[in-house]
Amino acid sequence: MPRIELPTSLGDAFSVAHARSAGVGEGRLRGSDLERRFHGARLRVAPADGRLTPWERERAELQESIAAYLPVMPAGAWFTGPTAAALWGLPLPLGLTGDLHVAVAYPRTPPRRLGVRGTRVVPGMAGVVDRGGVPVADPATTWAALGGMLLPYDLVAVADAMLRVPRHPGGYRPARERPLATRDELAAALIAGRRRGAADLRRALTRARTGAASRPESWTRLILVDAGLPEPDLDVDVVGEHGEFLGCLDLAYPRHRVGIEYEGDGHLTRPQLERDIDKYAALGAAGWQIIRLTSHLVFRVPNEAVRRVRAALER
């Protein structure tokens, strides 16, 4: 028997109450093409994409969960913590977005259901904005709500991402006009009320910088500094003796002509590989030593990453 088509007005995610009012029967709501991710809500099942990286897959699953939850989300509630951080595109380690983090203002009762972590927030501690129809804590509040949830290095990495204004290497042309949050805004969110992990948040803010373009770059800088090496410059444009642009380095010690590049999966494509070959050849001809790091070196064997950078500085 052919499957009964659902009304297009329901969209991909809808509440059971809305579906019933549109004439959808109980049997159809139990169809194999619908997922019951939250009580009282249904989500159309999409085919899994095997080409996604673990981070991309986790973000896709989070977007599905948010879409499934919005039809039954309590009025006046908003997303906070790791859920809000992911919505803002901030760098998080894997495994933090399985549950939705949802906040309400005191004295309301936080939502309680499978897959949702509810929290109650004192008025004045949270700024809430509409992001594409989704209520979410503002960037500064989002960062402050991550205290006690992230490792100290990751609190710095998120603050770095907040402070960064994306630019194009070789000439400063902002990709957006302002950072997601200023240092003053992060400081104000931190003292707006009692925060979990406040001491780690305060220290993270003092260690945050404006030039880190990724979580691994933030970790690399912190690993080197905590090993006793000088703090490297970030996002460094290198020009040749005639003023020609040779390349942009993730981290660098310009006085020593030592550059550090983090190479993630994006460097494995043919076009990027060819650009990298040309870039490193030009930098080498100009007397630069380039230390190329991977996730294994940064996150698994950081002592080896430090050894390589130290050896280059000594040379």
Side-chain angles (χ1 to χ4, degrees), residues 85-105:
L87 285 169
W88 286 112
L90 298 169
L92 294 175
L94 285 172
L96 288 182
T97 58
D99 290 339
L100 298 181
H101 291 250
V102 180
V104 296

Side-chain angles (χ1 to χ4, degrees), residues 39-100:
H39 177 71
R42 296 293 186 273
L43 175 71
R44 296 179 194 256
V45 177
D49 188 346
R51 298 170 298 176
L52 299 180
T53 68
W55 276 270
E56 291 170 337
R57 184 163 53 251
E58 188 169 279
R59 290 298 171 93
E61 291 173 353
L62 174 64
Q63 292 291 346
E64 291 177 351
S65 292
I66 289 171
Y69 183 65
L70 281 173
V72 294
M73 189 174 188
W78 66 91
F79 292 112
T80 186
T83 306
L87 285 169
W88 286 112
L90 298 169
L92 294 175
L94 285 172
L96 288 182
T97 58
D99 290 339
L100 298 181

Side-chain angles (χ1 to χ4, degrees), residues 278-303:
D278 292 341
K279 171 182 172 179
Y280 296 141
L283 290 168
W288 281 78
Q289 298 178 74
I290 306 300
I291 310 302
R292 302 166 71 179
L293 302 179
T294 62
S295 61
H296 177 74
L297 287 166
V298 173
F299 296 105
R300 299 292 181 88
V301 287
N303 288 343

Side-chain angles (χ1 to χ4, degrees), residues 1-7 24-25 28 33:
M1 182 176 179
R3 179 181 292 153
I4 299 173
E5 291 295 325
L6 293 168
V24 180
R28 182 65 184 88
D33 62 325

